[in-house]
Amino acid sequence: MEPIKIEVEPKYQEQKEGSRVEFMCNVHGKSEVFYNYRWSKDGTEIQGQNNSTLVLDCVKMRDFGCYACKVSDTDGPCGCEKSVQLDVVPRDGMDYKRLKAVDPGTQERVEILLTMKKIPGVGGGNGWHMSTTWTILA
Protein backbone atom coordinates (compact mmCIF):
# COMPACT_ATOMS: atom_id res chain seq x y z
CA MET A 1 0.00 0.00 0.00
CA GLU A 2 1.39 3.38 -1.01
CA PRO A 3 2.01 5.81 1.88
CA ILE A 4 0.32 9.17 1.72
CA LYS A 5 2.34 12.34 1.17
CA ILE A 6 1.21 15.85 1.99
CA GLU A 7 2.13 19.32 0.79
CA VAL A 8 1.09 22.60 2.36
CA GLU A 9 1.04 25.66 0.15
CA PRO A 10 2.27 28.27 0.22
CA LYS A 11 5.27 27.34 2.36
CA TYR A 12 5.79 30.96 3.40
CA GLN A 13 3.57 34.04 3.46
CA GLU A 14 4.17 37.62 4.49
CA GLN A 15 0.86 39.44 4.94
CA LYS A 16 -0.17 42.81 6.31
CA GLU A 17 -2.06 42.97 9.57
CA GLY A 18 -5.79 42.77 8.78
CA SER A 19 -5.30 40.56 5.70
CA ARG A 20 -6.94 37.21 5.02
CA VAL A 21 -4.52 34.27 4.96
CA GLU A 22 -5.08 30.78 3.53
CA PHE A 23 -2.91 27.67 3.65
CA MET A 24 -3.94 24.61 1.60
CA CYS A 25 -3.00 21.06 2.61
CA ASN A 26 -2.86 18.70 -0.40
CA VAL A 27 -2.76 14.91 0.07
CA HIS A 28 -1.22 12.52 -2.47
CA GLY A 29 -1.33 8.76 -2.23
CA LYS A 30 -4.33 6.57 -1.48
CA SER A 31 -7.42 7.25 -3.52
CA GLU A 32 -11.01 7.13 -2.29
CA VAL A 33 -9.96 7.52 1.32
CA PHE A 34 -11.39 10.01 3.79
CA TYR A 35 -8.69 12.19 5.30
CA ASN A 36 -8.74 13.96 8.66
CA TYR A 37 -6.88 17.26 9.01
CA ARG A 38 -5.62 18.95 12.16
CA TRP A 39 -3.95 22.34 12.08
CA SER A 40 -1.64 23.71 14.77
CA LYS A 41 0.24 26.94 15.43
CA ASP A 42 3.63 26.81 17.14
CA GLY A 43 2.91 23.25 18.31
CA THR A 44 -0.56 23.95 19.76
CA GLU A 45 -3.62 22.54 18.01
CA ILE A 46 -6.04 25.14 16.63
CA GLN A 47 -9.51 24.11 17.80
CA GLY A 48 -12.13 23.76 15.06
CA GLN A 49 -9.61 23.84 12.20
CA ASN A 50 -10.11 20.41 10.63
CA ASN A 51 -10.43 21.16 6.91
CA SER A 52 -7.81 20.87 4.19
CA THR A 53 -7.66 24.67 4.05
CA LEU A 54 -6.71 26.84 7.02
CA VAL A 55 -8.30 30.28 6.76
CA LEU A 56 -7.28 33.13 9.04
CA ASP A 57 -9.46 36.20 8.60
CA CYS A 58 -8.08 39.58 9.62
CA VAL A 59 -4.68 38.42 10.93
CA LYS A 60 -3.11 40.27 13.83
CA MET A 61 0.58 40.78 14.60
CA ARG A 62 0.44 37.95 17.15
CA ASP A 63 -0.60 35.49 14.42
CA PHE A 64 2.93 35.22 13.00
CA GLY A 65 4.55 31.83 13.49
CA CYS A 66 4.85 28.24 12.39
CA TYR A 67 1.62 26.53 11.22
CA ALA A 68 1.41 22.79 10.59
CA CYS A 69 -1.10 20.44 9.03
CA LYS A 70 -1.26 16.88 10.38
CA VAL A 71 -3.14 14.31 8.27
CA SER A 72 -4.60 10.93 9.15
CA ASP A 73 -6.83 8.63 7.13
CA THR A 74 -9.44 5.98 7.84
CA ASP A 75 -6.63 3.52 8.69
CA GLY A 76 -5.41 5.84 11.47
CA PRO A 77 -2.53 8.26 11.98
CA CYS A 78 0.17 8.19 9.34
CA GLY A 79 2.66 10.54 10.94
CA CYS A 80 2.25 12.95 8.04
CA GLU A 81 2.80 16.56 9.02
CA LYS A 82 4.12 19.59 7.13
CA SER A 83 4.91 23.06 8.44
CA VAL A 84 4.72 26.52 6.90
CA GLN A 85 5.64 30.03 8.08
CA LEU A 86 3.52 33.15 8.38
CA ASP A 87 5.01 36.61 8.92
CA VAL A 88 2.62 39.44 9.70
CA VAL A 89 3.77 42.99 9.02
CA PRO A 90 2.14 46.23 10.17
CA ARG A 91 -0.78 47.56 8.17
CA ASP A 92 -0.37 50.85 6.35
CA GLY A 93 -0.29 53.90 8.57
CA MET A 94 0.90 52.07 11.73
CA ASP A 95 4.11 53.14 13.46
CA TYR A 96 5.92 49.92 14.39
CA LYS A 97 9.62 49.38 14.86
CA ARG A 98 11.65 46.23 14.52
CA LEU A 99 12.88 44.85 17.83
CA LYS A 100 16.50 45.49 16.91
CA ALA A 101 15.65 49.22 16.56
CA VAL A 102 14.45 49.45 20.19
CA ASP A 103 16.70 50.40 23.11
CA PRO A 104 18.66 47.47 24.67
CA GLY A 105 16.69 47.44 27.97
CA THR A 106 13.37 47.05 26.13
CA GLN A 107 14.91 44.45 23.81
CA GLU A 108 15.92 42.37 26.81
CA ARG A 109 12.44 42.52 28.37
CA VAL A 110 10.76 41.59 25.08
CA GLU A 111 13.25 38.77 24.49
CA ILE A 112 12.48 37.30 27.93
CA LEU A 113 8.74 37.35 27.17
CA LEU A 114 9.18 35.84 23.72
CA THR A 115 11.45 33.02 24.86
CA MET A 116 8.89 31.83 27.42
CA LYS A 117 7.21 29.94 24.56
CA LYS A 118 9.58 28.49 22.04
CA ILE A 119 8.56 28.43 18.38
CA PRO A 120 9.66 25.15 16.73
CA GLY A 121 11.86 25.64 13.71
CA VAL A 122 12.17 29.41 14.14
CA GLY A 123 15.26 31.27 15.24
CA GLY A 124 18.64 29.99 16.24
CA GLY A 125 17.57 27.84 19.17
CA ASN A 126 16.41 30.66 21.41
CA GLY A 127 12.82 30.38 20.14
CA TRP A 128 12.38 33.76 18.50
CA HIS A 129 13.19 35.31 15.18
CA MET A 130 14.25 38.95 15.35
CA SER A 131 13.45 39.78 11.72
CA THR A 132 9.78 38.88 12.21
CA THR A 133 9.30 40.24 15.72
CA TRP A 134 7.71 43.67 16.05
CA THR A 135 6.85 45.85 18.98
CA ILE A 136 4.65 48.92 19.35
CA LEU A 137 6.14 51.97 20.98
CA ALA A 138 3.73 54.24 22.81
Side-chain angles (χ1 to χ4, degrees), residues 35-47:
Y35 295 106
N36 296 305
Y37 302 88
R38 288 193 344 234
W39 288 90
S40 62
K41 177 185 180 280
D42 300 331
T44 302
E45 187 172 339
I46 304 170
Q47 296 299 315

Side-chain angles (χ1 to χ4, degrees), residues 45-99:
E45 187 172 339
I46 304 170
Q47 296 299 315
Q49 294 294 337
N50 54 7
N51 297 311
S52 62
T53 302
L54 173 65
V55 177
L56 304 171
D57 286 315
C58 196
V59 294
K60 297 182 179 15
M61 296 298 290
R62 68 176 174 257
D63 292 327
F64 84 92
C66 180
Y67 289 82
C69 179
K70 185 179 268 188
V71 177
S72 60
D73 62 27
T74 52
D75 294 333
C78 68
C80 301
E81 182 173 343
K82 292 288 182 182
S83 298
V84 293
Q85 293 289 328
L86 173 64
D87 276 346
V88 180
V89 297
R91 65 183 176 269
D92 293 336
M94 295 303 292
D95 187 24
Y96 290 82
K97 291 186 178 182
R98 290 195 180 270
L99 182 60

Side-chain angles (χ1 to χ4, degrees), residues 2-137:
E2 184 179 335
I4 67 172
K5 296 177 185 171
I6 65 172
E7 271 181 20
V8 181
E9 295 292 333
K11 293 179 185 349
Y12 171 81
Q13 286 191 59
E14 180 178 289
Q15 296 291 335
K16 286 185 181 180
E17 185 178 27
S19 298
R20 177 185 168 100
V21 172
E22 291 186 21
F23 288 108
M24 173 72 77
C25 186
N26 299 304
V27 181
H28 308 282
K30 302 175 187 177
S31 60
E32 311 221 1
V33 173
F34 178 76
Y35 295 106
N36 296 305
Y37 302 88
R38 288 193 344 234
W39 288 90
S40 62
K41 177 185 180 280
D42 300 331
T44 302
E45 187 172 339
I46 304 170
Q47 296 299 315
Q49 294 294 337
N50 54 7
N51 297 311
S52 62
T53 302
L54 173 65
V55 177
L56 304 171
D57 286 315
C58 196
V59 294
K60 297 182 179 15
M61 296 298 290
R62 68 176 174 257
D63 292 327
F64 84 92
C66 180
Y67 289 82
C69 179
K70 185 179 268 188
V71 177
S72 60
D73 62 27
T74 52
D75 294 333
C78 68
C80 301
E81 182 173 343
K82 292 288 182 182
S83 298
V84 293
Q85 293 289 328
L86 173 64
D87 276 346
V88 180
V89 297
R91 65 183 176 269
D92 293 336
M94 295 303 292
D95 187 24
Y96 290 82
K97 291 186 178 182
R98 290 195 180 270
L99 182 60
K100 62 186 175 185
V102 178
D103 69 88
T106 302
Q107 283 184 21
E108 184 178 339
R109 289 191 305 275
V110 171
E111 181 178 350
I112 290 168
L113 289 172
L114 292 174
T115 56
M116 289 178 162
K117 181 174 182 184
K118 305 250 184 234
I119 302 171
V122 176
N126 62 3
W128 64 293
H129 188 208
M130 186 175 285
S131 68
T132 59
T133 304
W134 299 79
T135 187
I136 303 173
L137 297 178

